Amino acid sequence: MTDKFNSDIFKILTVAPNLIQIEVIDADKFKTDTSDFTIGSYLKISDDSNTSIIALVQSFKIKETNNGGETETIQPTFILDAQPIGFLDENGKFRRGGQQIAIPPNQVEIADISILQSIYASTESEKEFIFSSLAQNLAIDIAVDGDRFFSKHIAVVGSTGSGKSGTVAKILQEGILPNQEQDKQGILNNSHIILFDLHGEYSPAFPKAKKLDVDNLILPYWLMNSEELEEMFIESSESNSHNQMSQFKNAVTLNKKRHNKSLKKVNYDTPIYFSIDEVFRYISNHNISTKDAKTGELKIKTKIEGIEDEYQLFESIEFEDKATGKINSGPYAGEFDRFVPRLETKLNDDRLSFLLKPRKADETEYKTDDLSHILRQFLGYTDSNETNITIIDLSGIPFEVLSLVVSLISRLVFDFCFHYKSIKKDSSEIPYLLVLEEAHNYIPQSQGAKYHSVKKSIERIAKEGRKYGLSLMIVSQRPSEISETIFSQCNNFVAMRLTNPTDQQYVKRLMPDSVSAITDTLPVLERQEALIIGDSIPIPTIVKIKELTDKPASNDIDFRTEWKKDWLAIAFDELIKKMKKES
C-alpha cells in the first residue's frame, strides 16, 4: 500500500530544483503509518494536475518549538529534506530530470513497490543486465542497460572488506552468460573480457577462463614500443641518458632490419623480432671501440666474414689498440660504463625470463611469425580452448616490471581492436572489456618515469578505446590515487563503502550525477551494498549485490576463530620448494 498524507499531517515549505522541504505536523501519526520510512526512502509529490515528482529523502531535522512561556506542551514537528531525482510522465513512466509542478503540491506519498518497479522497469529486455537488487526492497531487481554499462568505461571502488571482488566477479559472470539457445547448444557467446588479477584471486570465480601467469605467459621483449623499452633499460636520471637512448634506439632499429629483411618499413616501434643479446653486444662494443683519427671509421681488428659492415657491432669483436695520432677512442668509448653492466644484470635476471628469454617447448625463441599465436592467448582465441574471459595473474610478476607488463598487454589489445576495425569497418563485432583490478598500483596519480608508459597506454584506451570496441573497468580501493585523466573518463560508477574521506570526496567530485542524498552514504554502506550511478540506470541507486555461486578467493581470514584452534604443523619442506620455485 502507498502511504498518503493529507494537509493535516504535512505542509510543503519549499519547492526548488534541488530541494523540497516538507514539514511533518503530526509526527505520531506519520511514524505509525510509515514504520519502514528511512533516510534514502523515495517520495512521490503530486499536484492537482497529477504531475508527480519523485524525490529522495536526504535528511530530517526537528523544528524548534516555542510555547511562549505557557505550561502547555506543544508537540514537536520535524522537517524532511528531499532531493528531486525525476518525474512521472502522463503514462506513469519515470523520467530523469526536472519537471514543472504546480504550486503548492497537495499530496505526498511514500513510493510503493509499483512506483519503484516503474522506475526500474526495463523497456528493452534484450539489453537487460541484472546483478543486484534494491537495497531497500530486495524483491525489486535493478535492471541495468547492458549496452550503456559495458560500452562506457566503468569504475568499481570500495574499501577493503566492502565486497568489491565479489561485486566485480558477479558483474562479469552475469555479463558473459549465454542466452538460452547458446546454453542449450553449449556454444560460447561473443563476450570478451581480459582481467588483470593482481592477487591471483579470480580463478575460482571463472573455472572455464584462460589463465595466464608468470609461468605460461608469452610476452617477448621485442613487442615493447619505444617508451616501454626505455622504461625497461634506460636510467633517465643519468647525465648521459640521451646518448644511451640514441644508441639503444639505433641498435634496436638496425637489429629489427637485420632479422626482418623482407619488411620494407621498419622503425623503433614496429612490433617485430630483434635480438636483445645482439643489442647488448652493440652497446658493449661501442663502449670499448676505437676509431681512425682521420676518417672516424671504427677500427675493428678482424671483421667477421659473411656479415655486412653495418651489422658487425652485433657480434663479439675486438678493436685495434689506440695509437697516438692514428687511432683514437671511439665516439662512445667509456660512455656506457654504467649502462652495459645494468643491461647485463637485467638480461641475467631469471625473474625476468618470461620477458627477456621466452622460449618455446623446443627452446627456440619466439619471433615475428609467432605474433598471431602471442595475441591469441590474450584475446581468448587459443587453439585448444576458446574462452570468454582471460585472467592474467600478476601476483608472480616482479613489481618493478608490473606496470610495464600491464602497459604492453593493454597496448597490444588496443592495437588489435584498432586494426580490426580498419579491416572490418565495424568495431561492434568483437567488443572487449579490459578489467584493471587494484588499478592504483600501476596507473597512479604519480608522475614517476616508471609509470609513464602504462599511463599513456591506459589513457589512450580511456579516451579513444570506445571508438574501437574496447572498454575499461577500473577497480580500486583507493580511487584518489588513480590517474584522474583515466578515472574521469568513467561514465558508470559502482561505489561501495569508502572509509577514507579523501577517496569519498574524490569519487563524489567525479560522479556524473550530484545526488548528495545517497552519495553521503558511502562511508556507511554494508558489505555487498553499492551505489550505482551512470546513464545505464534510471536513477542513482543503492543496491545489494546478488550472491555468487563461484566466488573469488578473497575472503578475509577470521583471526580469532583460527587462533582458537589447535596448533597446526607446517610442511616447511614443501613451503621452501615453493619459495624457491622448485615446484
Side-chain angles (χ1 to χ4, degrees), residues 273-318:
Y273 173 79
F274 71 92
S275 170
I276 190 65
D277 292 322
E278 292 180 10
V279 168
F280 171 70
R281 287 196 289 270
Y282 183 97
I283 300 296
S284 299
N285 285 332
H286 259 307
N287 198 47
I288 59 172
S289 64
T290 57
K291 66 178 181 179
D292 188 287
K294 292 183 179 180
T295 65
E297 180 185 359
L298 294 180
K299 299 296 290 183
I300 300 173
K301 272 188 179 180
T302 304
K303 292 185 178 181
I304 300 175
E305 293 185 9
I307 295 179
E308 298 95 319
D309 286 352
E310 61 181 336
Y311 299 141
Q312 289 286 328
L313 286 178
F314 292 125
E315 305 300 328
S316 296
I317 56 176
E318 294 182 3

Side-chain angles (χ1 to χ4, degrees), residues 234-250:
I234 308 296
E235 181 55 65
S236 60
S237 62
E238 291 182 1
S239 58
N240 68 342
S241 61
H242 59 288
N243 284 334
Q244 295 179 23
M245 289 183 189
S246 171
Q247 289 311 301
F248 187 78
K249 177 180 180 180
N250 286 342

Side-chain angles (χ1 to χ4, degrees), residues 41 50 63 91 122 129 148 202 218 251 279 302 322 358 379 427 464 508 511 566-567 573:
S41 290
N50 207 28
K63 183 179 180 180
N91 298 318
S122 172
F129 172 61
R148 293 182 176 181
Y202 282 95
I218 305 169
V279 168
T302 304
K322 289 188 290 185
L379 303 175
S427 63
E464 306 173 27
K508 289 179 184 179
M511 282 183 173
D566 294 340
W567 182 265
D573 290 343

Side-chain angles (χ1 to χ4, degrees), residues 151 417 421 426-428 461 463-470:
S151 64
C417 294
K421 181 178 181 180
D426 183 4
S427 63
S428 66
I461 294 173
K463 294 174 183 176
E464 306 173 27
R466 288 179 292 180
K467 301 175 185 176
Y468 308 110
L470 180 58

Side-chain angles (χ1 to χ4, degrees), residues 493-506:
F493 294 82
V494 181
M496 312 192 78
R497 183 177 68 250
L498 286 170
T499 54
N500 186 293
T502 304
D503 292 329
Q504 295 168 17
Q505 293 303 317
Y506 184 78

